[in-house]
Every structure is written in C-alpha cells, then in structure tokens.
Amino acid sequence: MITPMDIPTARVSPCPLPPGGLELLVAASAREGRARRLRDLLTGADADGSVYLAHSDEVRAMLNRGIDPQLYHAYRDIAAPRPKTGQPVDGADGTHAWFADLVVYTAANLGGSRELGRSLGHWNTPAQVEIFQCLSGRVLMLHTNIDDDGNSTMDYHVCRAGDHLVIPFGAWHLTVVLDAPAAVFNVYTDVADLLTGHTSREAVDSDLKYRVAPAPELTIARTASKIAVVGSSRELSERPLRRGEFPSWAEALLMPSGLAALYRHAPSAELARLQEHAAHFGRQPIPATAS
C-alpha cells in the first residue's frame, strides 16, 4: 500500500547550523563513529523483523552484487554525560545522567533503491525521555503515538536545521533522509519512577533496543513525483498517518538557544526541568502492537 505525503520532493535551501551544532560536528570529525550499512537493515529484516523493508528482494540483490553503501555514522556520547541530581542512590545507572549522541546520515537512498536513506529504527523504553534536534540537512522523523481518544497513530515531522522533536514514552521511531547529508543530535535519559525493566542506556550498550519488538510495517520511498509511505495495508489502517505537533511545553524550555546549546552549557536545573515536564506532559507508554 502506497500513501503519498504532502512533502516537497525538491531539495530545499539549507538552514544555518543552530547554536552548538558546529561544536558537535567538529567533535565528530575527530572520532571514528560506528558505521551502519545497507546490510545492517537487511539483517534486522531477516532476523527478527526489527527493520521493515518494502523491497527487501531489491536490497538482497544489491548486496549480492557487492553494493553495500554506508547509510550513516553514529557517534555515541558525542558530548559527555550530564549527571542528574536528586536521583535515588540505588537507582539504575541510566536514570542518573543524561546522554547525548549524534548521527550523520550520508545516503539519500538505499543504494539506488526507491526507499530513502534511513536509520534502523527502534522502540524506546517506557521510562525514556528522548529529544532530537536536526543540525543540518532535512529529515523526516516518524514515531508511534496515541491520540486523544486512545487510538494508535503514526506521527511524522519534517525537520530542518534547528527543528526539534520529542519522542513519546515507549514509542517506536525512525529517521528518514530527505536532503543528504543530514546531521541529527539527540539526548536521552530514563525517569526512575517510570522504570519497569532495562534502561535505555542498557538497551544501547547491548543493542537490545533493536530487538525489543518487530518494527511497524512501513517505510518511506520516493515515487516519480511524491514522497510516500510504503507499507502493509494493516499497518496503515491500524496506525493512521498524521502530521505531528511539537509540544508547547518543550518549546518554552528549549528555545531560543536550542537543544545542542542547552545540553552543553545549561545548568543541571534546566535539564531537570526538561525531564519533569516530559514526565508530566508525556502520554502513556505506546504499545508495540496497534490498538
């Protein structure tokens, strides 16, 4: 099933780097990072369904021909963890600090496939606060959500340099490249009072976050004239697509400097307010199966 999206296909003029963005990119240039390639997507699709590919046969054929492009580099702890105050002494390590990563996407598509360059995608923990800021390029970010009536949705956001996104607790999310190269910064932590199992930090350390549950059956492709969602009819009917909204509480805390500058330079009290507001205004954890 193909659902066209109201997203310009032509490359848009780049926006300036947000405050703090240049420092992060310079830091990344001095590190190796972890490369993710086309074969990593197919491995997830074949092994446990943690990745959905609409045209897995095309991807497999490319790999058999030796075509295995790099999709992105991930830079874990691109900025030092920020310790949190007032946390339970016996709490899990992932609740004691904020952590920060950077991903630099280099591929506009999957080796010439119609499907666009992308992340692996994964499910967050029910206690995880995660906030993104696009630093350069243009990306489409998707995540599961629940509407005001308690129904499952698939929200999407088109992000240019400086734009932010807050991931709901327990949601699945995916980053798709619209204009490459693109750089995306994110910070995350777990709320001790909401923790019911492993922390997001533990999930990162073991790659567990990629094996929690199967991915929603959709991806993004470029047709002759449109950017479109491609997926199973069941998925697109059970989780209707809708344009996401940036929560007003987050804008008040993140602006005017933005997430990159806030994380690197703000007092710990401002990061504590960010967690408090996210926990207060956040929705209930998102189920791995649509309601």
Side-chain angles (χ1 to χ4, degrees), residues 87-241:
Q87 300 300 304
V89 176
D90 58 349
D93 290 343
T95 66
H96 289 168
W98 284 87
F99 305 96
D101 298 336
L102 175 72
V103 177
V104 178
Y105 295 91
T106 52
N109 54 47
L110 302 186
S113 166
R114 290 166 287 176
E115 296 183 48
L116 299 185
R118 49 168 287 181
S119 65
L120 293 177
H122 67 267
W123 291 92
N124 281 6
T125 76
Q128 184 176 355
V129 176
E130 186 169 29
I131 304 171
F132 288 83
Q133 183 181 33
C134 182
L135 302 183
S136 65
R138 186 172 60 123
V139 296
L140 173 67
M141 304 192 76
L142 300 102
H143 63 79
T144 54
N145 207 347
I146 297 175
D147 66 19
D148 293 336
D149 296 321
N151 300 311
S152 295
T153 64
M154 182 64 69
D155 292 5
Y156 70 93
H157 308 252
V158 177
C159 299
R160 300 173 66 186
D163 292 341
H164 296 90
L165 174 64
V166 180
I167 302 297
F169 288 106
W172 173 86
H173 60 92
L174 173 71
T175 301
V176 178
V177 181
L178 296 176
D179 293 341
V184 180
F185 175 65
N186 71 289
V187 305
Y188 64 95
T189 189
D190 283 82
V191 180
D193 293 345
L194 301 179
L195 197 62
T196 58
H198 65 266
T199 66
S200 55
R201 186 64 172 185
E202 291 166 336
V204 169
D205 287 341
S206 63
D207 269 359
L208 176 62
K209 67 180 184 179
Y210 299 114
R211 304 192 302 273
V212 170
E217 296 177 349
L218 60 79
T219 188
I220 305 298
R222 190 184 300 272
T223 67
S225 59
K226 295 284 186 179
I227 302 295
V229 176
V230 182
S232 70
S233 56
R234 179 195 61 80
E235 177 65 50
L236 296 174
S237 61
E238 291 183 354
R239 288 192 182 100
L241 197 68

